[in-house]
Amino acid sequence: MKIRTATVQKRTENEVIFDTHPEISLDLSHVEDALKKGYNRPFLLVDSNIIRNKIRRFKAAMPRVHPHYAAKANPDSRVLKTLIEEGSGFEIASIAELDLLISLGVPAAEIYYSNPMKSRQYLEYAASKGVEWYVLDSVEELRKIVSVKPDAKLYLRIDTPNIGSDWPLAGKFGTHLADIKAIINEAVSLNADLAGVTFHVGSQCRNPQNWRVGIERARNVFADMRQAGLRPRLLNIGGGYPVRHVKPIPSIEVIADVINAAIADLPEEIRIMAEPGRYLVSDSACFVCRVVGTATRNGKRWMYWDAGIFGGIIEVSEGLRYEILTNRTGSSTPWSIAGPTCDSVDVLMHDELLPEDIQEGDFIFIPNAGAYTTAYASNFNGFPLPDVMVL
Ligand SMILES: *Cc1c(COP(=O)(O)O)cnc(C)c1O
């Protein structure tokens, strides 16, 4: 069997020549080897060496920025262990993520609680386990955290542009500029240690200028904090670093040029960290599923995969386009593609150009699918979760 590139949305040579650094994906011969042992459900095959390469590349590009992996992108314990071995810190949203990391030996002090909305019960638990740093983006959350842990170290999530991000996050979280002073004043009156600023440029951000604007806003907030008598010590530049699918991306080195210039004259006492999720794990893995059957209705070709929106391929619902590989060689025809469940939401794509001779039983390969796939999958309608295999 030879896996070939069937998609015509494949990157063009013109896009590739702008790459300052070639991106590396899992070698598909590993997928062929895995399939020789049989197939009983969709799976994600992860090459941990690629994860190591990605975090080393991230650190080399931005020597002053400590990476804290966003566990939600892929919380598989083998993925986490690989990152622990490479010296990564972590960012969490829940106590399940906290417990998992603590069970793998991560010191609580290296785990940053970056979810701007935390239940009191979760805060009490995290405080009891030794988590030191907590994010907030409102006066109410500030009061809540301080009432549970008066000596918490706090960082303020501010609003920043998400222009050019495939997955904008602005709106749900982030203090509006007009509300920052009130939060600073409240921190001072509560005697709280408001000591940092963070922002998130939106996931799969293809516009490096968003980080520059975020860092400039953070500097202004630091100045306001100092003026109010606070002692800023943390700049957290969040996640959003993009990976290759079918659209061109700026490499991490190009993004780093912008970030390094923007942080160059920040004083030593400011610790600078980032929260890459997708960037560290996506390229390391190929998602494999299978065609359950095909159908022609009113002249339209449909194919149904054994993994759909509920089986891990959910980011297509917001417009992310994956490269899709098969081992068929027929000429391209537009297909509608759906998952195996009976829910009408479970439709992945329309008019996707794929070989006309794809049939029941064929395998489908999605490269660079190590982030936000298996982490999202559910058992809805009785279909199994995808397996995760790690090399
Ligand atoms: C999801 C998330 C991240 C990671 O985002 P990526 O786009 O995967 O890099 C980082 N920080 C916070 C607070 C997040 O919610």
Side-chain angles (χ1 to χ4, degrees):
M1 181 183 74
K2 196 90 214 93
I3 301 168
R4 61 182 286 275
T5 301
T7 173
V8 297
Q9 282 81 32
K10 217 167 55 108
R11 47 193 182 254
T12 65
E13 263 180 41
N14 272 349
E15 288 167 4
V16 174
I17 57 172
F18 291 113
D19 284 359
T20 51
H21 288 65
E23 306 294 332
I24 300 166
S25 299
L26 177 126
D27 182 343
L28 293 173
S29 67
H30 294 311
V31 174
E32 290 169 1
D33 291 344
L35 283 172
K36 282 184 195 136
K37 294 178 199 135
Y39 176 92
N40 60 21
R41 59 181 161 132
F43 65 90
L44 185 73
L45 183 64
V46 182
D47 181 349
S48 54
N49 281 320
I50 295 180
I51 299 176
R52 289 184 200 280
N53 281 334
K54 294 293 298 261
I55 189 163
R56 288 178 192 175
R57 193 175 151 194
F58 190 95
K59 289 183 184 173
M62 290 176 274
R64 225 189 127 176
V65 181
H66 300 275
H68 283 246
Y69 174 59
K72 74 175 184 293
N74 187 331
D76 185 275
S77 60
R78 293 157 295 181
V79 167
L80 298 175
K81 271 187 206 148
T82 302
L83 289 164
I84 292 166
E85 285 169 17
E86 293 295 324
S88 183
F90 294 88
E91 172 273 310
I92 57 157
S94 67
I95 61 175
E97 290 179 345
L98 175 60
D99 279 340
L100 179 56
L101 290 165
I102 288 176
S103 77
L104 295 173
V106 181
E110 285 181 30
I111 302 171
Y112 283 59
Y113 206 144
S114 281
N115 183 344
M117 192 50 67
K118 299 162 284 300
S119 74
R120 186 168 292 276
Q121 181 201 2
Y122 275 30
L123 279 170
E124 284 164 356
Y125 187 84
S128 77
K129 292 288 174 181
V131 175
E132 296 179 357
W133 285 91
Y134 300 81
V135 79
L136 59 95
D137 69 353
S138 67
V139 168
E140 293 92 325
E141 188 75 1
L142 169 63
R143 291 186 188 130
K144 194 202 288 169
I145 300 170
V146 171
S147 73
V148 172
K149 186 172 167 60
D151 64 346
K153 297 172 190 163
L154 303 166
Y155 48 113
L156 179 66
R157 174 143 163 191
I158 58 169
D159 193 28
T160 196
N162 279 205
I163 301 157
S165 298
D166 283 352
W167 218 251
L169 299 169
K172 179 171 178 186
F173 294 125
T175 308
H176 195 266
L177 297 185
D179 299 325
I180 291 174
K181 287 240 163 78
I183 294 177
I184 290 176
N185 292 342
E186 183 71 6
V188 170
S189 71
L190 291 171
N191 205 14
D193 187 11
L194 180 59
V197 176
T198 190
F199 55 83
H200 199 302
V201 295
S203 205
Q204 187 68 3
C205 174
R206 289 179 290 106
N207 176 10
Q209 297 306 317
N210 286 340
W211 280 279
R212 180 181 57 75
V213 175
I215 292 166
E216 281 169 8
R217 288 188 181 170
R219 282 170 181 280
N220 291 336
V221 179
F222 287 154
D224 291 345
M225 286 176 167
R226 283 193 197 97
Q227 206 171 23
L230 298 170
R231 196 162 61 86
R233 308 188 296 288
L234 179 74
L235 172 64
N236 176 351
I237 61 173
Y241 315 90
V243 301
R244 227 356 156 169
H245 291 295
V246 296
K247 289 184 195 168
I249 55 160
S251 69
I252 197 71
E253 290 77 14
V254 167
I255 294 170
D257 281 347
V258 174
I259 291 173
N260 289 336
I263 62 177
D265 59 347
L266 276 177
E268 273 304 305
E269 72 258 23
I270 306 250
R271 179 180 199 267
I272 307 176
M273 62 175 274
E275 300 175 331
R278 185 188 302 282
Y279 178 80
L280 295 181
V281 295
S282 201
D283 303 353
S284 70
C286 182
F287 191 88
V288 181
C289 63
R290 200 170 203 181
V291 177
V292 177
T294 61
T296 306
R297 295 198 199 92
N298 199 16
K300 223 173 144 84
R301 299 288 286 148
W302 283 81
M303 71 172 98
Y304 295 80
W305 296 352
D306 59 357
I309 295 283
F310 302 101
I313 313 176
I314 191 171
E315 284 201 296
V316 294
S317 65
E318 297 270 335
L320 191 136
R321 307 208 62 188
Y322 289 109
E323 199 177 359
I324 297 165
L325 313 180
T326 83
N327 42 39
R328 291 285 169 191
T329 54
S331 56
S332 293
T333 198
W335 288 89
S336 288
I337 304 172
T341 73
C342 285
D343 196 302
S344 60
V345 166
D346 198 7
V347 176
L348 298 173
M349 298 157 216
H350 288 294
D351 298 322
E352 186 75 12
L353 294 170
L354 288 168
E356 61 184 0
D357 52 345
I358 287 179
Q359 292 170 23
E360 174 202 341
D362 282 1
F363 290 110
I364 299 291
F365 310 96
I366 306 178
N368 298 354
Y372 303 114
T373 49
T374 47
Y376 274 131
S378 86
N379 281 119
F380 175 62
N381 229 175
F383 291 94
L385 294 177
D387 198 4
V388 182
M389 299 187 241
V390 182
L391 299 170

